[in-house]
Coordinates of all heavy atoms in Angstrom, one line a residue:
A155 N 63.3 67.4 -105.0 CA 63.9 68.7 -104.9 C 65.3 68.5 -104.3 O 65.9 69.5 -103.9 CB 63.1 69.6 -104.0
E156 N 65.8 67.3 -104.2 CA 67.2 67.0 -103.7 C 67.4 67.5 -102.3 O 68.4 68.0 -101.9 CB 68.2 67.6 -104.6 CG 68.1 66.9 -106.0 CD 69.2 67.4 -107.0 OE1 70.0 68.2 -106.6 OE2 69.2 66.8 -108.1
Q157 N 66.3 67.3 -101.5 CA 66.4 67.8 -100.1 C 66.5 66.6 -99.1 O 66.3 66.8 -97.9 CB 65.1 68.6 -99.7 CG 65.0 69.9 -100.4 CD 63.6 70.6 -100.3 OE1 62.7 69.9 -99.9 NE2 63.5 71.8 -100.7
T158 N 66.7 65.4 -99.6 CA 66.6 64.2 -98.8 C 67.6 64.3 -97.6 O 67.2 64.1 -96.4 CB 67.0 62.9 -99.6 OG1 66.0 62.8 -100.6 CG2 67.0 61.7 -98.7
A159 N 68.8 64.6 -97.8 CA 69.8 64.7 -96.8 C 69.5 65.8 -95.7 O 69.5 65.5 -94.5 CB 71.2 65.0 -97.3
D160 N 69.0 66.9 -96.2 CA 68.6 68.0 -95.3 C 67.5 67.6 -94.4 O 67.5 67.9 -93.2 CB 68.2 69.2 -96.1 CG 69.3 69.9 -96.8 OD1 70.5 69.6 -96.5 OD2 69.0 70.7 -97.7
V161 N 66.5 66.9 -95.0 CA 65.3 66.5 -94.2 C 65.7 65.5 -93.1 O 65.4 65.7 -91.9 CB 64.2 66.0 -95.1 CG1 63.1 65.4 -94.3 CG2 63.7 67.1 -96.0
V162 N 66.4 64.4 -93.5 CA 66.6 63.4 -92.6 C 67.6 63.8 -91.5 O 67.5 63.4 -90.3 CB 67.1 62.0 -93.2 CG1 66.0 61.5 -94.1 CG2 68.4 62.2 -94.0
L163 N 68.6 64.7 -91.9 CA 69.5 65.1 -90.8 C 68.8 66.1 -89.9 O 69.2 66.2 -88.7 CB 70.8 65.7 -91.5 CG 71.6 64.7 -92.3 CD1 72.8 65.4 -92.9 CD2 72.0 63.6 -91.4
R164 N 67.9 66.9 -90.4 CA 67.2 67.9 -89.5 C 66.4 67.1 -88.5 O 66.3 67.4 -87.3 CB 66.2 68.7 -90.4 CG 65.5 69.8 -89.7 CD 64.3 70.3 -90.4 NE 63.2 69.3 -90.3 CZ 62.4 69.0 -91.3 NH1 62.5 69.6 -92.5 NH2 61.5 68.1 -91.2
Q165 N 65.7 66.0 -89.0 CA 64.9 65.2 -88.1 C 65.8 64.5 -87.1 O 65.4 64.4 -85.9 CB 64.1 64.1 -88.9 CG 63.0 64.8 -89.8 CD 62.4 63.8 -90.8 OE1 63.0 62.8 -91.2 NE2 61.2 64.1 -91.3
L166 N 66.9 64.0 -87.5 CA 67.8 63.3 -86.5 C 68.4 64.3 -85.6 O 68.5 64.1 -84.4 CB 69.0 62.6 -87.3 CG 70.1 62.0 -86.5 CD1 69.6 61.0 -85.4 CD2 71.1 61.3 -87.4
D167 N 68.8 65.5 -86.1 CA 69.4 66.5 -85.2 C 68.5 66.9 -84.1 O 68.9 67.1 -82.9 CB 69.8 67.7 -86.1 CG 70.5 68.8 -85.3 OD1 71.5 68.4 -84.6 OD2 70.1 69.9 -85.3
A168 N 67.2 67.0 -84.4 CA 66.2 67.4 -83.3 C 66.3 66.4 -82.2 O 66.2 66.8 -81.0 CB 64.8 67.5 -83.9
V169 N 66.4 65.2 -82.5 CA 66.4 64.1 -81.5 C 67.7 64.2 -80.7 O 67.7 64.1 -79.5 CB 66.2 62.7 -82.1 CG1 66.4 61.6 -81.1 CG2 64.8 62.6 -82.7
L170 N 68.8 64.4 -81.4 CA 70.1 64.4 -80.8 C 70.2 65.6 -79.8 O 70.9 65.5 -78.8 CB 71.2 64.4 -81.8 CG 71.4 63.1 -82.6 CD1 72.5 63.3 -83.6 CD2 71.7 62.0 -81.6
Q171 N 69.5 66.6 -80.1 CA 69.5 67.8 -79.2 C 68.8 67.5 -77.9 O 69.0 68.2 -76.9 CB 69.0 69.0 -79.9 CG 69.9 69.5 -80.9 CD 69.5 70.9 -81.4 OE1 69.0 71.7 -80.6 NE2 69.6 71.1 -82.7
A172 N 67.9 66.5 -77.9 CA 67.0 66.3 -76.8 C 67.5 65.2 -75.9 O 67.0 65.0 -74.8 CB 65.6 66.0 -77.3
V173 N 68.4 64.4 -76.4 CA 68.9 63.2 -75.6 C 70.4 63.4 -75.3 O 71.1 64.1 -76.0 CB 68.6 61.9 -76.3 CG1 67.1 61.8 -76.6 CG2 69.4 61.7 -77.5
S174 N 70.9 62.6 -74.3 CA 72.3 62.7 -74.1 C 73.0 61.6 -74.8 O 72.4 60.6 -75.2 CB 72.6 62.6 -72.6 OG 72.1 61.4 -72.1
P175 N 74.3 61.8 -75.1 CA 75.1 60.9 -76.0 C 75.1 59.5 -75.6 O 75.2 58.6 -76.4 CB 76.5 61.5 -76.0 CG 76.4 62.9 -75.5 CD 75.2 62.9 -74.6
D176 N 74.9 59.2 -74.3 CA 74.9 57.8 -73.8 C 73.6 57.2 -73.9 O 73.4 56.0 -73.6 CB 75.5 57.7 -72.4 CG 74.7 58.5 -71.4 OD1 74.1 59.5 -71.9 OD2 74.6 58.1 -70.3
Q177 N 72.6 57.9 -74.3 CA 71.2 57.3 -74.4 C 71.0 56.7 -75.9 O 70.9 57.5 -76.8 CB 70.2 58.4 -74.2 CG 70.1 58.8 -72.7 CD 69.0 59.8 -72.4 OE1 68.9 60.8 -73.0 NE2 68.1 59.4 -71.5
Q178 N 71.0 55.4 -75.9 CA 71.0 54.8 -77.2 C 69.5 54.6 -77.7 O 68.7 54.1 -77.0 CB 71.7 53.5 -77.1 CG 73.2 53.7 -76.8 CD 74.0 52.7 -77.5 OE1 73.6 51.5 -77.6 NE2 75.2 53.1 -77.9
F179 N 69.4 54.9 -79.0 CA 68.1 54.6 -79.7 C 68.4 53.9 -81.0 O 69.6 53.8 -81.4 CB 67.3 55.9 -79.8 CG 67.9 57.0 -80.6 CD1 67.8 57.1 -81.9 CD2 68.8 57.9 -79.9 CE1 68.4 58.1 -82.6 CE2 69.4 59.0 -80.6 CZ 69.2 59.1 -82.0
V180 N 67.4 53.5 -81.6 CA 67.5 52.8 -83.0 C 66.9 53.8 -84.0 O 65.9 54.5 -83.7 CB 66.7 51.5 -83.0 CG1 66.6 50.9 -84.4 CG2 67.4 50.5 -82.1
L181 N 67.5 54.0 -85.1 CA 67.0 54.9 -86.1 C 66.4 54.0 -87.3 O 66.9 52.9 -87.6 CB 68.2 55.7 -86.7 CG 68.0 56.9 -87.4 CD1 67.2 57.9 -86.6 CD2 69.3 57.6 -87.8
A182 N 65.3 54.5 -87.8 CA 64.7 53.8 -89.0 C 64.6 54.8 -90.1 O 63.9 55.8 -90.0 CB 63.4 53.2 -88.6
Y183 N 65.3 54.5 -91.2 CA 65.1 55.4 -92.4 C 63.9 54.9 -93.2 O 64.0 53.7 -93.7 CB 66.4 55.4 -93.3 CG 66.1 56.0 -94.6 CD1 65.6 57.3 -94.7 CD2 66.4 55.4 -95.8 CE1 65.3 57.9 -95.9 CE2 66.1 56.0 -97.1 CZ 65.6 57.3 -97.1 OH 65.3 57.8 -98.3
E184 N 62.8 55.6 -93.3 CA 61.6 55.2 -94.0 C 61.2 56.3 -95.0 O 60.5 57.3 -94.6 CB 60.5 55.0 -93.0 CG 60.7 53.9 -92.0 CD 59.4 53.2 -91.6 OE1 58.4 53.9 -91.4 OE2 59.3 52.0 -91.6
P185 N 61.7 56.2 -96.2 CA 61.3 57.2 -97.2 C 59.7 57.1 -97.4 O 59.2 56.1 -97.6 CB 62.0 56.8 -98.5 CG 62.5 55.4 -98.2 CD 62.6 55.2 -96.8
V186 N 59.1 58.3 -97.2 CA 57.6 58.3 -97.2 C 57.1 57.7 -98.5 O 56.1 57.0 -98.5 CB 57.1 59.7 -97.0 CG1 55.6 59.8 -96.9 CG2 57.7 60.3 -95.7
W187 N 57.7 57.9 -99.6 CA 57.3 57.5 -100.9 C 57.4 56.0 -101.1 O 56.8 55.4 -102.0 CB 58.0 58.2 -102.0 CG 59.5 58.2 -101.8 CD1 60.3 59.1 -101.2 CD2 60.4 57.2 -102.3 NE1 61.6 58.8 -101.2 CE2 61.7 57.6 -101.9 CE3 60.3 56.0 -103.0 CZ2 62.9 56.8 -102.1 CZ3 61.5 55.2 -103.3 CH2 62.7 55.7 -102.8
A188 N 58.1 55.3 -100.2 CA 58.2 53.8 -100.3 C 57.3 53.1 -99.3 O 57.2 51.9 -99.4 CB 59.7 53.5 -100.0
I189 N 56.6 53.8 -98.5 CA 55.8 53.2 -97.5 C 54.4 52.8 -98.0 O 53.7 53.6 -98.6 CB 55.6 54.1 -96.2 CG1 56.9 54.4 -95.5 CG2 54.5 53.5 -95.3 CD1 56.8 55.3 -94.4
G190 N 54.1 51.5 -98.0 CA 52.8 51.0 -98.4 C 52.6 51.1 -99.9 O 51.5 51.0 -100.4

Side-chain angles (χ1 to χ4, degrees):
E156 298 185 357
Q157 293 169 347
T158 298
D160 291 345
V161 170
V162 297
L163 293 181
R164 188 200 72 220
Q165 292 170 335
L166 173 57
D167 185 51
V169 170
L170 290 178
Q171 288 193 38
V173 306
S174 59
D176 61 329
Q177 291 186 301
Q178 295 216 324
F179 57 93
V180 171
L181 198 56
Y183 169 55
E184 295 210 321
V186 179
W187 48 271
I189 295 176

